[in-house]
């Protein structure tokens, strides 16, 4: 009698009792692994069928019935990934099933005189090798399915976030979007916009995990030139935590004011982009819209800002470069010092009387008194427009190339520096 014939009898006897064998495996797995003990996650009937199918897979090879077929093992891996059972638990369950099956083979073999201990020893290596190959099939199918599910979830979340950022979502589905994105149904929220250094780059890489660890859920959308985040700020200290996380990324970020309803997300996105456009310098930093609302308003209306520059600061901008630079720089420091000539003098490293002289020169050129709050507001807004909007390029004093008679570009602060 051949080895195949002697083991075939063992395998055939066990295959006749597969439902009972599958149930025994399922109950043992449930007793040992918590995630399998949840009926809503892995129904017992489904687990029994899976155990029986995988046992039959191995027993068929003991009968030498054709080439190995890993499809039941792959199906186990796919189903467990869809059910959300951890991969480690899935492989643990597969090991338990294999051990019980080998125990059943040994018990059946002892009832058959034709199956010797030497035969079982020689066949045990093949059994465990085969079980290992099928376990690899389980793991491979699990990982493939998990990757597909993750990709689908990310695409779905990205689409929902896009709907919120653009406002193309019905009010009645706002709460559904919030639930699926893991956001609270009500604010406060804030929107952050980060500038991408390269197309498709993630300037805020790692921020989502850091925010979640701080119990600040968020939804994300990646654009070719920007990364957008809708962030829940449920506590009084949440905004400070959010700012710390954003600053640690080393990105250039604009942050909107807080808002209460998800319906306001598109407007908050606009505010965040305005804050980003007003961020000074070329290095990293976080600019909040609320830090300088006037600057944000000026940035929001470039055409009006250009007219404001012409109406208020054109005489200053038409000066020779050196004098123009001194006056604009003095104005900037004076405003930063809350209208204190002494404070501006300290940061400019000049005498306070020098500051006062330059301010009087601005008053003479513009015809506006800096002691008049309304005139001061006009000058401040026009100065912001020069810095943020490039509005000095408009007006009759400019050539078609966008440069003034005095040769400055009119975009931001003069090239000669302050």
């Amino acid at each position: 009698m051949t080895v195949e014939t002697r083991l075939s009898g063992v395998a055939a006897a066990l295959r006749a009792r597969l439902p009972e064998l599958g149930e025994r495996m399922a109950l043992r797995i449930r007793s040992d692994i918590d995630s399998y003990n949840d009926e809503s996650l892995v129904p017992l009937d489904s687990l029994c069928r899976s155990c029986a199918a995988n046992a039959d897979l191995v027993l068929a090879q003991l009968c030498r019935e054709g080439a190995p077929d890993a499809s039941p093992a792959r199906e186990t891996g796919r189903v467990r990934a869809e059910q959300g059972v951890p991969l480690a638990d899935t492989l643990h369950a597969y090991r338990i099933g294999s051990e019980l099956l080998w125990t059943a083979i040994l018990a059946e073999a002892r009832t058959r005189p034709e199956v010797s201990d030497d035969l079982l020893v020689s066949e045990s290596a093949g059994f465990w090798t085969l079980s290992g190959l099928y376990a690899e099939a389980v793991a491979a199918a699990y990982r493939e399915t998990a990757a597909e599910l993750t990709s689908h979830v990310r695409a779905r979340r990205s689409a929902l976030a896009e709907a919120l950022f653009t406002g193309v979502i019905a009010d009645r589905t706002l709460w559904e979007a919030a639930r699926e994105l893991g956001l609270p149904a009500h604010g406060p929220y804030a929107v952050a916009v980060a500038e991408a250094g390269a197309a498709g780059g993630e300037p805020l890489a790692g921020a989502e995990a850091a925010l979640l660890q701080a119990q600040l859920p968020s939804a994300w959308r990646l654009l070719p030139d920007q990364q957008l985040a809708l962030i829940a700020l449920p506590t009084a200290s949440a905004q400070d935590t959010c700012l710390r996380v954003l600053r640690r990324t080393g990105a250039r970020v604009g942050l909107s004011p807080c808002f209460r309803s998800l319906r306001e997300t598109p407007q908050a996105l606009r505010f965040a982009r305005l804050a980003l456009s007003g961020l000074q310098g070329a290095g990293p930093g976080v600019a909040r819209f609320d830090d300088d609302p006037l600057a944000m308003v000026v940035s929001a209306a470039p055409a009006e800002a250009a007219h404001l520059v012409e109406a208020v600061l054109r005489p200053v901008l038409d000066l020779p470069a050196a004098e123009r630079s001194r006056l604009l720089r003095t104005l900037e420091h004076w405003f930063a010092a809350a209208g204190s000539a002494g404070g501006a003098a300290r940061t400019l490293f000049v005498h306070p009387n020098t500051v006062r002289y330059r301010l009087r020169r601005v008053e003479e050129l513009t015809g506006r008194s800096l002691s008049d709050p309304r005139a001061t507001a006009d000058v401040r807004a026009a100065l912001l427009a020069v810095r943020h909007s490039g509005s000095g390029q408009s007006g009759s004093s400019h050539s078609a190339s966008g440069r003034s008679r005095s040769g400055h570009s009119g975009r931001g602060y003069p090239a000669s520096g302050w």
Side-chain angles (χ1 to χ4, degrees):
M1 182 180 293
T2 64
V3 170
E4 290 83 352
T5 303
R6 283 176 284 177
L7 288 180
S8 294
V10 173
L14 292 177
R15 292 177 86 180
R17 304 199 301 271
L18 271 178
E20 174 195 343
L21 185 58
E23 182 178 5
R24 216 164 68 228
M25 291 177 177
L27 293 174
R28 172 66 181 277
I29 290 169
R30 279 196 157 199
S31 69
D32 286 7
I33 306 174
D34 289 340
S35 59
Y36 278 82
N37 204 31
D38 185 346
E39 181 68 19
S40 64
L41 188 64
V42 184
L44 179 58
D45 287 348
S46 171
L47 181 57
C48 289
R49 289 194 300 271
S50 176
C51 289
N54 282 284
D56 190 44
L57 186 67
V58 177
L59 292 172
Q61 290 307 301
L62 289 181
C63 294
R64 304 301 196 267
E65 294 181 359
D69 175 16
S71 56
R74 290 187 57 81
E75 177 68 8
T76 297
R78 183 190 65 79
V79 171
R80 297 297 172 259
E82 291 176 346
Q83 291 170 332
V85 178
L87 177 56
D89 286 357
T90 301
L91 294 176
H92 186 192
Y94 204 85
R95 286 193 296 272
I96 290 173
S98 295
E99 290 168 1
L100 284 176
L101 179 58
W102 182 245
T103 300
I105 290 171
L106 293 177
E108 179 64 27
R110 290 193 183 98
T111 67
R112 297 173 178 271
E114 70 273 16
V115 181
S116 67
D117 289 345
D118 289 343
L119 175 61
L120 290 173
V121 169
S122 67
E123 287 296 302
S124 65
F127 173 88
W128 290 111
T129 298
L130 191 62
S131 293
L133 290 174
Y134 289 145
E136 289 176 8
V138 170
Y142 184 104
R143 293 189 182 100
E144 291 167 8
T145 304
E148 290 175 5
L149 292 172
T150 299
S151 177
H152 176 75
V153 169
R154 285 178 177 171
R156 172 69 177 163
R157 286 175 60 86
S158 180
L160 285 173
E162 175 72 4
L164 289 175
F165 285 125
T166 58
V168 290
I169 189 167
D171 285 355
R172 64 184 178 83
T173 59
L174 281 173
W175 71 271
E176 294 176 353
R179 182 185 61 186
E180 193 159 344
L181 291 169
L183 297 171
H186 303 285
Y189 314 96
V191 169
V193 177
E195 186 179 282
E202 293 190 47
L204 296 177
E208 182 176 7
L211 289 169
L212 190 59
Q213 187 175 8
Q215 298 184 333
L216 303 182
S218 55
W220 296 76
R221 182 80 173 96
L222 185 61
L223 303 177
D225 59 340
Q226 291 179 335
Q227 189 171 17
L228 318 180
L230 171 58
I231 305 166
L233 304 172
T235 65
S237 62
Q239 188 168 115
D240 290 339
T241 303
C242 176
L243 286 169
R244 283 196 299 272
V245 170
L246 294 175
R247 288 183 179 122
R248 283 201 300 266
T249 64
R252 291 176 61 82
V253 186
L255 190 66
S256 77
C258 292
F259 57 100
R260 289 282 173 182
S261 170
L262 288 173
R263 288 191 298 273
E264 302 171 57
T265 304
Q267 180 67 26
L269 174 59
R270 183 166 179 265
F271 288 150
R273 281 176 165 153
L274 288 172
L276 177 59
S277 70
L279 185 61
Q280 297 185 45
V286 179
R288 297 190 302 174
F289 185 95
D290 288 346
D291 288 342
D292 197 345
L294 179 58
M296 300 302 102
V297 170
V298 169
S299 295
E304 290 77 5
H307 180 76
L308 181 64
V309 169
E310 292 296 320
V312 178
L313 284 182
R314 175 50 55 201
V316 176
L317 297 178
D318 283 343
L319 292 171
E323 185 178 4
R324 179 182 69 242
S325 178
R326 281 195 298 271
L327 294 184
L328 292 176
R329 187 163 178 258
T330 299
L331 276 175
E332 178 76 7
H333 283 253
W334 183 69
F335 279 116
S340 166
R346 283 191 293 273
T347 57
L348 287 166
F349 303 103
V350 298
H351 194 278
N353 285 340
T354 301
V355 173
R356 295 186 185 99
Y357 167 77
R358 293 175 183 175
L359 294 176
R360 285 195 298 271
R361 177 73 171 134
V362 171
E363 289 177 323
E364 292 169 1
L365 289 166
T366 63
R368 285 172 166 78
S369 170
L370 293 177
S371 61
D372 180 350
R374 290 174 300 179
T376 303
D378 291 342
V379 173
R380 164 70 170 153
L383 185 66
L384 290 169
V386 170
R387 185 175 72 187
H388 293 303
S389 71
S391 57
Q393 294 181 9
S394 64
S396 60
S397 63
H398 284 66
S399 68
S401 66
R403 303 185 74 84
S404 71
R405 290 192 303 267
S406 58
H408 74 279
S409 67
R411 179 171 178 81
Y413 288 147
S416 60
W418 289 14

